[in-house]
Amino acid sequence: MSNHLSTADEATQSNRGLSFKVDLQSYMLIIALVLIAVIFGIFTGGEFLSSRNLSNLFTQMSIIAVLAIGMTLVIVAGHIDLSVGSLVGLAGGAAAILQVWYGWNTVLTVIAAIVVGAIFGLWQGWWVAYRAVPAFIVTLGGMLIFRGILIGITNGQTISNLDESFKLIGTSYFPYIPGYILAVVCIALLVFGTVRKRSKRKSMGLLLSAPMFDYGKVAIYSFFILLATYLLNRYLGIPVPILIVALLAVIFIFISNNTAFGRYVYAIGGNEEAAALSGINIKRNVLWVFTTMGALAGVAGVLLTSRLNAATVSAGSNYELDAIAACVIGGTSLVGGKGKIVGALIGALIMASIDNGMSMMNIEAFWQYIVKGLILIVAVWIDISSKK
């Protein structure tokens, strides 16, 4: 009898240490992305999946992807930022003015653009956190203010012909062999991170996902990393803008998952009152969230200006809507407390793929706006339905 009991206990402990829960939302995003690629590949005669078009697609999505990283933190914290498009234009305009009119070198110009974004983000965060003005109103006002400043400092004209070194930021490519080496390093880090995470959870007595799920996910990610590297290397190599996105994604995924600040942001968005009672400094953390969003808008401004080799008064228009849509499609809840940066990046890629594919099919521009609007509504509806 005791033997039967001990066997049952061991089985129970084994079951407690193993979880077969599947993140269906993440897999659905990947499936949706694959379906979009297949559909557009068929309707464009395979041109959508060509190395040249994929390279252009990744370059185009890089700006929205950078904004989506910051917007994820803003929305998770329970706020919204409608000013990022105008701030992208302002930061890019400031960079162009400093380099073309005042002869600043590329390094100082890039730093200045990011600082400009961070300062205006800090300013907006101060109104939201310390003056309790709703973020919707503050950033709506910021959208108008930043666009007005951009028109004023540029005198309403286009500023072009930046230095070659500045243009390389948005138009250069990573060489073939280093590209493959980087892909292998990324896969190795994925495997190492998964093994380390499982080992840590096991040592703490926490539930473990089934190995087939964890390592299956690594296998899927590894396949897409190698496939993307191969396809991009068939053209000119890996675009530098997408490498910048990848670097920022790694940094902010680490911040959101492994730092006190990241945990605080999710806690604030999930239940602000409970977060306050837990001793979290809500005002300071909200201030940092908006400052971070501003700095990332500065990075996006640099990428946009570099790729276009010009700063215009309309630069960044509607980018805030694309960034918000990317986050929502990626699973970020508009009520706060829930969202992943990886999901937002996949959402940005889905949005860029739809734009790119419909353009290649010569579908009129107004249909692109209609389709993206419908996708946004459906994504929010799915989020609400899943909560019910």
Side-chain angles (χ1 to χ4, degrees):
M1 176 113 179
S2 61
N3 289 337
H4 288 298
L5 287 174
S6 63
T7 303
D9 290 340
E10 289 174 2
T12 303
Q13 289 174 3
S14 177
N15 289 333
R16 284 178 180 172
L18 193 63
S19 170
F20 288 90
K21 184 179 178 181
V22 184
D23 189 356
L24 291 177
Q25 189 175 48
S26 299
Y27 286 107
M28 288 301 295
L29 284 174
I30 295 174
I31 292 170
L33 188 58
V34 171
L35 286 175
I36 289 170
V38 170
I39 291 170
F40 282 130
I42 293 171
F43 282 103
T44 59
E47 186 62 27
F48 179 81
L49 297 173
S50 67
S51 297
R52 179 176 181 177
N53 186 62
L54 289 176
S55 181
N56 291 334
L57 174 62
F58 282 121
T59 302
Q60 290 167 10
M61 72 156 281
S62 60
I63 298 167
I64 299 302
V66 170
L67 295 177
I69 291 171
M71 190 66 74
T72 300
L73 295 179
V74 173
I75 296 177
V76 165
H79 298 285
I80 199 74
D81 192 340
L82 301 177
S83 69
V84 293
S86 296
L87 193 50
V88 166
L90 177 55
I97 288 172
L98 291 174
Q99 185 153 96
V100 177
W101 291 358
Y102 295 97
W104 284 33
N105 64 49
T106 296
V107 174
L108 289 178
T109 300
V110 170
I111 294 173
I114 296 173
V115 169
V116 166
I119 289 174
F120 282 113
L122 176 70
W123 179 75
Q124 292 190 127
W126 178 79
W127 280 103
V128 175
Y130 290 92
R131 288 296 174 264
V133 181
F136 182 90
I137 300 300
V138 172
T139 57
L140 181 62
M143 178 176 67
L144 301 174
I145 292 168
F146 302 153
R147 188 66 63 183
I149 294 174
L150 175 61
I151 295 172
I153 64 175
T154 60
N155 297 320
Q157 59 182 298
T158 298
I159 303 172
S160 58
N161 296 322
L162 290 95
D163 288 349
E164 287 297 324
S165 58
F166 188 87
K167 289 190 290 184
L168 288 175
I169 297 173
T171 59
S172 59
Y173 298 85
F174 207 58
Y176 305 119
I177 295 177
Y180 282 117
I181 294 173
L182 183 62
V184 172
V185 169
C186 289
I187 292 171
L189 289 175
L190 274 175
V191 174
F192 173 76
T194 302
V195 172
R196 185 172 180 272
K197 181 180 178 181
R198 288 181 62 84
S199 215
K200 187 175 180 181
R201 290 181 68 86
K202 185 177 181 180
S203 66
M204 296 174 67
L206 299 175
L207 283 174
L208 285 174
S209 299
M212 63 176 290
F213 291 138
D214 279 344
Y215 294 114
K217 191 186 298 183
V218 170
I220 292 172
Y221 289 157
S222 300
F223 170 76
F224 280 110
I225 288 173
L226 289 174
L227 179 62
T229 304
Y230 168 72
L231 291 173
L232 293 173
N233 278 343
R234 287 183 61 190
Y235 182 52
L236 294 173
I238 303 174
V240 167
I242 204 64
L243 291 179
I244 294 173
V245 171
L247 177 62
L248 290 173
V250 169
I251 292 171
F252 281 94
I253 288 172
F254 177 82
I255 289 173
S256 63
N257 294 335
N258 300 97
T259 66
F261 170 69
R263 300 294 184 186
Y264 292 163
V265 170
Y266 281 89
I268 291 168
N271 189 324
E272 185 173 338
E273 184 178 352
L277 293 173
S278 300
I280 296 174
N281 190 326
I282 294 175
K283 293 180 179 179
R284 185 176 62 192
N285 284 284
V286 169
L287 184 69
W288 274 110
V289 165
F290 278 93
T291 304
T292 301
M293 181 72 259
L296 288 172
V299 174
V302 170
L303 289 175
L304 179 62
T305 305
S306 172
R307 185 161 67 88
L308 300 178
N309 188 28
T312 66
V313 294
S314 62
S317 295
N318 295 325
Y319 278 16
E320 60 279 349
L321 302 181
D322 285 340
I324 293 170
C327 293
V328 173
I329 291 171
T332 303
S333 176
L334 287 175
V335 298
K338 176 188 173 186
K340 292 182 179 180
I341 290 173
V342 172
L345 294 178
I346 297 176
L349 184 55
I350 289 174
M351 294 292 289
S353 298
I354 292 171
D355 274 342
N356 182 271
M358 294 181 76
S359 297
M360 292 185 69
M361 292 172 62
N362 295 319
I363 296 175
E364 295 184 67
F366 69 87
W367 279 112
Q368 298 180 28
Y369 287 106
I370 292 173
V371 170
K372 288 197 294 185
L374 289 173
I375 290 173
L376 179 59
I377 293 172
V378 170
V380 174
W381 171 71
I382 291 173
D383 176 55
I384 294 171
S385 298
S386 66
K387 284 183 174 57
K388 290 182 180 179

